[in-house]
Amino acid sequence: MRLELDGEMVERARKLAKEVTDEVQKFIDLRSTDSVERTVSRLFGIDGVNSEGAPLPNVVVDDVKIGGGLKRGIAYWIANGCVAKNLDPQGLAEAVGRKEFSLVKIPPQNEGLVDQKMDELAAKAIEKIEDVRNKRDKMLEELGDPKKPYIYVIVATGNIYEDVVQARAAVREGADIIAVIRSTAQSLLDFIPYGPTTEGYGGTYATQANFKIMREALDDIAPKVGRYVRLTNYASGLCMPEISAIAALEGLDMLLNDSMYGILFRNINMMRTFVDQYTSRLICAFSHITINTGEDNYIKTSDPIERAHTVTTSQLINEQFAIKAGMDPKYMGIGHAFEIDPDVENGFLYEVSHALLTRTLFPYATPKYMPPTRYMTGNIFKGYAQNTLYNLVSIMTDQSIHLLGMLTEAIHTPLVQDRYLAISNAKYVFNNAANFGSEIELKKDGFIQREAQKVLENAVSLLEHVKEVGLMAAIEEGTFGDISRRMDEGKGSDGVFVKGEDYSNPLIEEMERLLGVRR
Amino acid sequence: MRLELDGEMVERARKLAKEVTDEVQKFIDLRSTDSVERTVSRLFGIDGVNSEGAPLPNVVVDDVKIGGGLKRGIAYWIANGCVAKNLDPQGLAEAVGRKEFSLVKIPPQNEGLVDQKMDELAAKAIEKIEDVRNKRDKMLEELGDPKKPYIYVIVATGNIYEDVVQARAAVREGADIIAVIRSTAQSLLDFIPYGPTTEGYGGTYATQANFKIMREALDDIAPKVGRYVRLTNYASGLCMPEISAIAALEGLDMLLNDSMYGILFRNINMMRTFVDQYTSRLICAFSHITINTGEDNYIKTSDPIERAHTVTTSQLINEQFAIKAGMDPKYMGIGHAFEIDPDVENGFLYEVSHALLTRTLFPYATPKYMPPTRYMTGNIFKGYAQNTLYNLVSIMTDQSIHLLGMLTEAIHTPLVQDRYLAISNAKYVFNNAANFGSEIELKKDGFIQREAQKVLENAVSLLEHVKEVGLMAAIEEGTFGDISRRMDEGKGSDGVFVKGEDYSNPLIEEMERLLGVRR
Amino acid sequence: MINNLDLEHLRPYGDQLNDGVIQLSFTLPVPAGAKAREAAKRLIESMNFSDVQIVHSEDIGEDFTFFVVYAKTTRDVNYKEIKTLEVEVPKMGMEEINEKVFKYLKRQIVIVGATIGSDAHTVGLDSILNMKGYHGDSGLERYRAFKVYNLGSQVPPIELVKKAREYNADVILVSQVVTQRDIHIKQLTELADILDAEKLRDRVLLVVGGPRITHELAVELGYDAGFGSGTMPSEVASYIVEKMVKIS
Amino acid sequence: MINNLDLEHLRPYGDQLNDGVIQLSFTLPVPAGAKAREAAKRLIESMNFSDVQIVHSEDIGEDFTFFVVYAKTTRDVNYKEIKTLEVEVPKMGMEEINEKVFKYLKRQIVIVGATIGSDAHTVGLDSILNMKGYHGDSGLERYRAFKVYNLGSQVPPIELVKKAREYNADVILVSQVVTQRDIHIKQLTELADILDAEKLRDRVLLVVGGPRITHELAVELGYDAGFGSGTMPSEVASYIVEKMVKIS
Ligand code: B12
Ligand code: B12
Ligand SMILES: Cc1ncc(COP(=O)(O)O)c(C=O)c1O
Ligand SMILES: Cc1ncc(COP(=O)(O)O)c(C=O)c1O
C-alpha cells in the first residue's frame, strides 16, 4: 500500500519547517534556563537533597542565581568552587546545601585551572553517558529488537513498586515498551522529586530512583522473555532537560519530548520551552534515546479531521528541531493519533489516510501512533472494538511505536487486566493481519490518496503563514490545538536568561561537537 | 476491490455442479416422502392435533401409509375423502384423527370429481401462498429494504414470548433480520410441534403458532423503526418441506435450508434429504423466501483453510439445486463463514480471500456470512475483537446477509445485552469503514488473489471427482465436513418411497409450472 | 416496559425475565489453575451470587490470573421506592432563560468557572462555558443573561475564591476529571472549606461537574449540585436560573 | 507470587494490591435514566460491593438499560484453605500408559464414548477419542492399551448402556456441551440412574466432559470424574489408567 505524495510539496513543506525553526533557533542559541543549568549540575554528578528536601541541583543553581552569577553558566561556578575547595561537585553542592557558603562568594580561581576542571567534568559526564548508552545498545543487540510495531503500554499506579509488578506482567504478556506515566502536574514542578516514591495521582513521580528501580526490573525480565524491553518516561514541563539527563544516566530508551507541548498544554513559557527542548534533545540524541512527540494532543482538543494539517505541521517542526539537535531520524518517534469520532462515516478511511501520511512523510523515523482516547466511553466493549480497528490501522500502515489503547480509557488508569486485554488484542490483530497492508493498494486518486494530499497541502499553507508571522506569533494565534499562548506569558518565564559574554557550558558544547551540530 | 477469477474455471465449476445435481435430481423426481405428503396436507388446510396431541397432517399421512395407499399421493386421498364425505380437508382430517374412518377405506369416488377437487384444493393453496407473498412484497416495498449487509441476529430463549421481547429490543437497536433458533434436536422430530411453546433448549420450537406470534410482533414494530424486518426459521431436518409450507403461510422471509446439511450433521437419510429439499425449495422459490445454505457448518468440523474448497463445492451444488427448484438467485442466501483460528498468521487475509470468492462467484445471490464460532472462547473481550474483524471483512467484501457474532458464543445463547453489543459493533464498523472495500485494490497476483484462485481450482478438482463417483458416493467418502454417511443409513429413510404410476400431486406440479420448472 | 415485571423486586434480565444474570471480570494475584478457579468461585459466591460459572481463566503473567465469570444475583431491588437525588429542573430555552433572569433579577448572573488543583482537563468545562457549547447545545457564554469568567485549568482553590470575590460571582462552576486516589474529593473539599472560612459559601451557588461526578457526591461534599457525563450546557443554565430566581 | 500477599485474605487486584476491583455488566428491564442508575447502584451495593461506579448506562431498546459498572468487593477468600476437587493425576506418556495397562491388567481397557440425549456436539468428544487428538496430543484410539468404541452423537442413555454391556466396557465417556436450562443435568442424571437400575454402575468408570463441566459437578451427579474446557486426551488416558490399575 503506497501513498502517492507530490514530492515537490513534501520538499517544500520540509524547507518551510526548516526556515521556521531556524528563526527560533536564533533565539534559543542566545539563551539558557535554570533547568539547563541544573542539567549541567546533574551531569557533573550533583544529586540528592538538602535537609529541607530541596534537590541539590536546584540549590546550587538558585544559589548562583540569587548571587547574580548565572549568566556565566553554572559550569563555571561549580568548577571554580571545586578548584577552590578541592571538592568534587557533589561535595561542593552538599556544602552549599548546608549553607556553608555561596558559590558566587568563592573568589575566582586560576582561569586555566578552572577551565581544565570544567573540561574534565564535562568529559567525565560524556563518558558516563556513553557508558550507559553503549551498554544499552549492546543489550538491545544481544537480546534482539522486537518486531515493529512495538507494543507500548503505560503503568500509572502512582507507586513505583506496584508499577514494577504490573510492568513485569505486561512484559510477560508481550509488551515491548513500558512507559511510566507521571503524576498529575509534575510537569509544573520546577524541580525533580527525589528518591523512590509510592504516592502519585494518575501516575508515578519521575525521579532518578524510580527510573533505576524500573530499569532494573525490566533488565531482569528481558532475558527471560528473550527480547529487549524499552523504558519510557516524560521529558516535558519545567524540568525537560534535567529529566533527559537523569534518563541518560539511568539508561531509559524513550522520552516524551515535544518542542511545543508544554507551551500549549501546560502553559509553560514559550522561550523556556524552546530553550529547554534544545538541550533536552541534544542529550537524547547523544544517548540514543528516542523522543516521542506529542501531536496526538492537538486532536484531543481540536477536530481530528479539520485540523489534521496542524498535526503534520507540528511533526515537521518537531523534526527540524530534532535535526538541529543532531538527532538521527531513527530516534524520532513522530507522534500522531487515531482520534476521529467513531460515529463519523468512513472515519476508518480518514484514519488510514492520516496514518499513512505520517508514515510516508517520515520514512526514516519511527512514528509513534497513539490510540483513541477522547471518544472512548464507559462502554468498555465498544472501546475494545475501537482499539481493534486502531490496531489494524497500525499494522496496515506499518507504524513503529504503537501505544496500546485501553478499553477503560474513559474510566481509570489501566488495571492489570486492562493492559493484558490490550496486549492480547494487539497481538491478535498484528499477527492475523500481518501482511494485509502489503497485499492491498490504494485506489488511484481515491479518497485515501486525496485526503492525505489535502492534509499535506493545508500543512504547507499553514507553514507558509507561520513562516511569515513567525512561530511564536502563530502560537499566539491559536494555531495548534485551538490554544493560544502569549510570548511573555506562562510558567517558568523567570527561569530563562540571556547568556552572558562569558557564559560557558563545555558539556553541551562537547555534545554538540560530537553530534556534529557545533554552532 | 475486485477479485480476478479465471472465467473459464468458474464456468467449468458451474457446469460440473449442474451435472452432479442432474444425476441426483433423477432420483428425486421418482420419489416422495412422508414429509412431502404432510406438506401437501398442510397446504390443503389441515392443521391442529388429535386428542393424543399428534398433528393432523401426520395423522392423515400415517393413516394412508398404514393403509398402503401413499404411493398414490396424499392429495388423491384427501380429495377423494372430501368428495365422499362432503367435508373440507380439515374436517376430514379431524374425523380421521377421531378414528372415525380411514382414508384408504373410503371407496374411490368419481375420478373427474376427485381430480377437480384436487385442482381446486391446489389452486386455493397457491392462492393463499400468493396472498401472503404479495402482502410481504408490498410491505417490503413500502417500509423500505434496509441497507446491506443486513444485520441478522438470533433469539433463542426457548420461550416464544421472551423471544418476542428480545427480538423487539434487537430491532430497536438496529437488527434487520430476526432468526428464531430452534430447540435442540427438533430437526430429528418427524412432526412439527403444535401451538405456542415456552419450553425449548438452546432454542424455541418451530411451530406455526410461534411463527405467527413473532411475525405479528415484527410487523408491529417495523413501521415504528421505519424499515422492513425479516423473520427467519429453519427448514432443515425431517420436516424440511413442511416447515417451508408453514413459513409460506405465516409470511416468513428466510429459512435455513441446505441440500446436504441434514445428511451430514443430523445423520438424516440422504434420499430423504434430497427429496425433501426439492419440495421445500419449490415452496421457498414460490413464496419469495430466501434460503440460507449451511456451508458454515463444514468448517466447524473440518479445517477452514485446507477444506475451504468444500465450502465452494457445496455452494455450487446448493445453487444448482435451487435453480432446479426455480429459485431466483436473489433468494439464494449462499452460506459461508469466518471460522479460521484467530492465531493463524495472516488469517485475516484468508478470510478476505474466501469471503470475496463467495461474493464474486455468486454476484446475483445474497450471500449469508456467518461469524466466528469455533474459536470463540470464554474470553468475551477477545471474542468482541474477533467479531470486529469479522464485521470489517463483511463490509469490505460487500456481503448481503450478515449474521452477527456474539461475544458470548462459547458460553450461552445470547443475552439481551450480548445482542445489543453485537449490533452496536456491526453498526460501528459498517459505518466507519463504509467504503473501505471500494477504496482499495488487491495486489495483482498477491496472496489474496492466489488463495481464491486456488480454492476455486480445488473445488473444480473435487467436483470432477464427485461427478465421477456421484454425489452420494462422495458423501460416503467423507467429502464434506470430514463426515461420512452411507446411502442406506440415517434417520427417516423409512419415510421415502417411490411414487406410484398413479401418483398425483397437483399442488407441487402447479408450483413447478408457475416457476417454469415443470418436469 | 415488559409484562409481568415485579418492580418491587427488580432483577437483572439476561436471557429470561428475572434470571438475574450478571457478567463479571477481575484478576486474582495467584497462579492460574484449579485452585485459583476455586478461589474465584468462592469469592463470587460469598457476594450473593449463585450459579457461578467461571467461563474463562487465564494466566496473564507474573502469577496473575484473569477471570471472566457469569453468575446470578440472589438479590433484587425495590425500584418503586427509589427517589433519585438527581438535579431535576424544567429544561428552558435560551430566550426563556434570558428573559427570566432580566425579569426577576434585573441584571446578569456572574459565573466563574475553573478546573481546580492539579486538574488540567478543560474540555469538559469549556463544553459548558464556551460559546460553541456541546453537541450543538450552546455554552453559557452565549446567553445574554450570563457574564462568564472562565479561569481555565489548574487553578488553586484559594485563587478561585479570590477571583470569585473580585468578580462578585453568583455562581462558581468547578470541573474535576481526574479521580485517581480520590484526588478530586481532596480538592473539592479544600475549595468548600475555603469558601466556608471566607464566609462566602452562602453567597454563591456552588456547582461541580465531571465524568465521575454524581449529584449525590456533590451534595455530600457540601455543593449545591453535581453534573456528570454527557451534561448539556442548557441543563446547567436552566438549573442556575431556577436556583437564582428562587433565592432572589 | 508478588510480595505482601495475604493468602488468607485474598482479594482481587485491579490497580493496587488488595484494591478488590471487579468489573460488572448487566441489564435491567427498566428505562434508562437516573432512576435506573440508582437501582443498578443499590443492587450492586446490596451484594457486598463498595465504591460502586456506574461507568456506562445505555438505553438498548424496549425499556432495557445496559450497565457497565466498576466496584470493589468488600470480601476476601482464604486461599490457603482451598482444597480443589480437581482430578489430579500424574501425567504419563503414551508408552508408559500402554505398558502399565498390559503389566497390571494384561488386557486392553474397553472404552465406550458418546454424546448423549439431544446433544449433537461431537468435536469435543472426538478430540479425546479420535487418533488425531487435540492440539497435537493424540487421542485414546491411538493407544494400544485402549479399545475404543465411539458411538457418536445424540445417543439415548438407554442405548449407551446397552452398548456398554454389549462391549463389556470398563469405561464410559460421555460428553455434554449444551447446558441451557440445565438439560445436561437431566441427561446425565438419567444415564446414572439407568446404570444404577441395571446394576452396572459399580462395574464401570463413569466419566463426563464438556466445556461447562467441572469435576465438582460430575461428582455431585454420581460420576467418577469430570473434565472441562481444554482437556487433553493424555490427561484422560492417565486418569483412566490410574483408576483402572487401582481397582484391579
Ligand atoms: C483529553 C484528555 C486529556 C488532555 C486534556 C486536554 C484538555 N485541555 O482538557 C491531556 C492530554 C492534557 C490529558 C492529560 C492527562 N490526563 Co487525561 N484524558 C483526556 C480524555 C482522553 C478525554 C477527556 C475529555 O476531554 N472528555 C470530553 C469532555 C467533553 O467530557 P467530560 O470531561 O466528561 O465533560 C462533560 C461532563 O463531565 C460535564 N462536565 C465536566 N466538567 C464540568 C464542569 C461543570 C461545572 C459542569 C456543570 C459539567 C461538567 O460536562 C461535559 C460535557 O458533557 C480522558 C479519557 C476519556 N475518554 O474520558 C482522559 C483522562 C480523563 N485523563 C486521565 C489522566 C490520568 C490524565 C493525566 C493525569 C495523565 C498523566 N499522568 O499525565 C494527564 C494530566 C492531566 C492533568 N494534570 O489533569 C484519566 C483520569 C483517570 C481518573 N479517573 O482519575 C483519563 C480518564 C484517562 C485514563 N483512563 O487514564 N488528558
Ligand atoms: C461446533 C458447534 C456446533 C456444531 C457441532 C458440530 C459437531 N459435530 O460437533 C453444530 C453447528 C452442529 C452446532 C449445533 C448446535 N449448537 Co453448537 N456450538 C458449536 C461451537 C461453535 C463449538 C463447539 C466445539 O466444537 N468446540 C471445540 C471442542 C474441542 O471443545 P469442547 O467441546 O469444549 O471439548 C473440549 C472439552 O470440553 C473436553 N470435552 C468435551 N467433551 C468431553 C467428553 C469427555 C469424556 C472428556 C473427558 C472431555 C470432553 O475436551 C475437549 C477438548 O479439550 C460452540 C461454541 C463454542 N465456541 O464453544 C457452540 C455451542 C456449544 N452450541 C450451542 C447450541 C445451543 C447449539 C444448538 C443447540 C443451536 C440450535 N438450537 O440449533 C445446535 C444443536 C446442537 C445439538 N443438538 O446439540 C451453544 C450451547 C449453549 C449452552 N451452553 O447451552 C454454544 C455454546 C453456542 C452458543 N453460544 O449458543 N453447534
Ligand atoms: C509530549 C508530552 N509530554 C508530556 C505529557 C504528559 O503530561 P505532563 O505534562 O503531565 O507531563 C504528554 C501527554 O500526553 C505529552 O504528549
Ligand atoms: C442449514 C441448517 N439447518 C439447520 C441448522 C440448525 O440445526 P438443527 O438441525 O437443529 O435445525 C443449521 C445450523 O447451523 C443449518 O446450518
Side-chain angles (χ1 to χ4, degrees), chain A residues 181-182 184 202 373 409 411-412, chain C residues 118 120-122 175 179-180 210-211 231:
Chain A
I181 301 301
R182 286 199 301 189
T184 295
T373 64
E409 169 63 32
I411 307 168
H412 48 233
Chain C
S118 57
H121 293 88
T122 53
S175 182
T179 59
Q180 215 202 21
T231 305

Side-chain angles (χ1 to χ4, degrees), chain A residues 157 173 188 202 410 413 420, chain C residues 58 60 62 154 180-181 212:
Chain A
T157 68
E173 294 149 14
L188 303 184
T413 46
Y420 160 71
Chain C
E58 187 175 356
I60 59 167
E62 299 286 296
Q154 296 188 312
Q180 215 202 21
R181 298 191 188 221
R212 299 271 89 79

Side-chain angles (χ1 to χ4, degrees), chain A residues 61-366:
Chain A
V61 169
D62 289 350
D63 171 70
V64 171
K65 190 175 185 178
I66 292 164
L70 207 53
K71 279 173 182 282
R72 199 165 178 178
I74 196 72
Y76 167 79
W77 297 107
I78 292 173
N80 189 59
C82 287
V83 172
K85 303 282 177 184
N86 197 18
L87 285 167
D88 63 0
Q90 177 67 13
L92 187 77
E94 284 172 8
V96 176
R98 286 189 302 270
K99 301 207 160 70
E100 288 175 17
F101 48 75
S102 165
L103 292 180
V104 289
K105 297 280 163 63
I106 297 175
Q109 306 293 305
N110 172 300
E111 223 169 273
L113 279 179
V114 173
D115 280 355
Q116 198 186 319
K117 189 73 192 175
M118 273 200 280
D119 289 347
E120 179 200 308
L121 289 171
K124 247 172 71 185
I126 297 276
E127 203 187 328
K128 241 188 309 187
I129 297 177
E130 281 175 338
D131 277 356
V132 176
R133 174 187 82 192
N134 296 342
K135 185 180 151 210
R136 308 238 55 91
D137 284 348
K138 192 160 152 258
M139 259 185 96
L140 177 60
E141 201 180 306
E142 282 171 6
L143 285 167
D145 199 7
K147 253 207 321 221
K148 287 176 191 163
Y150 299 136
I151 291 183
Y152 179 126
V153 295
I154 67 167
V155 295
T157 68
N159 176 333
I160 188 65
Y161 302 106
E162 293 275 5
D163 284 345
V164 161
V165 169
Q166 299 202 23
R168 291 180 60 104
V171 171
R172 291 272 186 207
E173 294 149 14
D176 302 315
I177 306 178
I178 300 292
V180 182
I181 301 301
R182 286 199 301 189
S183 183
T184 295
Q186 180 177 351
S187 45
L188 303 184
L189 301 181
D190 212 348
F191 63 90
I192 300 179
Y194 182 75
T197 70
T198 56
E199 277 283 316
Y201 300 94
T204 306
Y205 286 101
T207 73
Q208 194 169 345
N210 288 347
F211 286 8
K212 191 193 238 39
I213 291 168
M214 187 58 85
R215 179 78 274 172
E216 277 169 7
L218 299 184
D219 285 353
D220 172 61
I221 199 165
K224 293 179 188 148
V225 295
R227 62 181 194 282
Y228 186 76
V229 182
R230 286 181 166 82
L231 174 58
T232 304
N233 212 290
Y234 290 71
S236 271
L238 292 170
C239 296
M240 200 192 260
E242 283 179 274
I243 298 260
S244 298
I246 62 173
L249 294 173
E250 297 304 336
L252 269 66
D253 305 283
M254 294 194 175
L255 286 171
L256 271 77
N257 182 272
D258 191 283
S259 55
M260 301 191 286
Y261 167 86
I263 305 167
L264 300 166
F265 297 95
R266 285 291 173 267
N267 196 12
I268 292 174
N269 174 264
M270 245 180 238
M271 218 58 244
R272 172 73 178 255
T273 300
F274 284 129
V275 175
D276 280 350
Q277 64 83 29
Y278 175 65
T279 300
S280 165
R281 285 185 177 188
L282 274 178
I283 297 172
C284 290
F286 188 71
S287 315
H288 297 178
I289 290 176
T290 300
I291 59 167
N292 297 178
T293 65
E295 284 81 2
D296 55 292
N297 295 290
Y298 299 164
I299 48 177
K300 280 197 168 73
T301 49
S302 70
D303 188 84
I305 294 177
E306 274 168 39
R307 309 293 290 169
H309 62 290
T310 64
V311 168
T312 313
T313 303
S314 170
Q315 290 172 331
L316 290 160
I317 291 174
N318 262 312
E319 180 189 41
Q320 290 304 322
F321 276 126
I323 290 172
K324 288 184 167 50
M327 186 170 283
D328 184 325
K330 78 173 173 182
Y331 298 111
M332 298 181 196
I334 299 290
H336 59 134
F338 181 104
E339 282 284 14
I340 296 168
D341 186 341
D343 289 343
V344 168
E345 193 178 353
N346 282 321
F348 185 75
L349 304 195
Y350 283 100
E351 297 288 10
V352 169
S353 180
H354 297 174
L356 259 182
L357 176 59
T358 298
R359 179 66 281 184
T360 312
L361 269 185
F362 304 98
Y364 307 110
T366 54

Side-chain angles (χ1 to χ4, degrees), chain D residues 102-120:
Chain D
F102 292 115
K103 180 166 165 203
Y104 291 99
L105 300 178
K106 302 188 172 64
R107 62 169 179 89
Q108 277 190 314
I109 293 177
V110 179
I111 299 174
V112 173
T115 83
I116 60 171
S118 57
D119 206 318

Side-chain angles (χ1 to χ4, degrees), chain B residues 348-424:
Chain B
F348 185 76
L349 304 195
Y350 282 100
E351 296 287 11
V352 169
S353 180
H354 297 174
L356 259 184
L357 176 59
T358 297
R359 179 65 281 183
T360 312
L361 268 184
F362 304 97
Y364 307 111
T366 54
K368 181 194 185 199
Y369 198 28
M370 300 282 289
T373 64
R374 67 189 278 198
Y375 290 104
M376 295 290 282
T377 68
N379 184 342
I380 56 176
F381 300 97
K382 171 89 182 272
Y384 207 62
Q386 292 170 236
N387 287 333
T388 308
L389 291 193
Y390 161 66
N391 292 338
L392 185 66
V393 172
S394 189
I395 186 78
M396 271 172 72
T397 60
D398 194 23
Q399 302 299 323
S400 302
I401 304 172
H402 179 79
L403 193 142
L404 293 194
M406 294 291 142
L407 77 174
T408 52
E409 168 63 32
I411 305 167
H412 48 232
T413 46
L415 306 186
V416 64
Q417 71 200 48
D418 300 344
R419 215 177 283 107
Y420 159 70
L421 290 170
I423 293 173
S424 65

Side-chain angles (χ1 to χ4, degrees), chain B residues 157 173 188 202 410 413 420, chain D residues 27 58 60 154 180-181 212:
Chain B
T157 69
E173 294 150 13
L188 303 184
T413 46
Y420 159 70
Chain D
T27 302
E58 188 175 356
I60 60 167
Q154 296 189 311
Q180 216 203 19
R181 298 190 188 224
R212 301 272 87 80

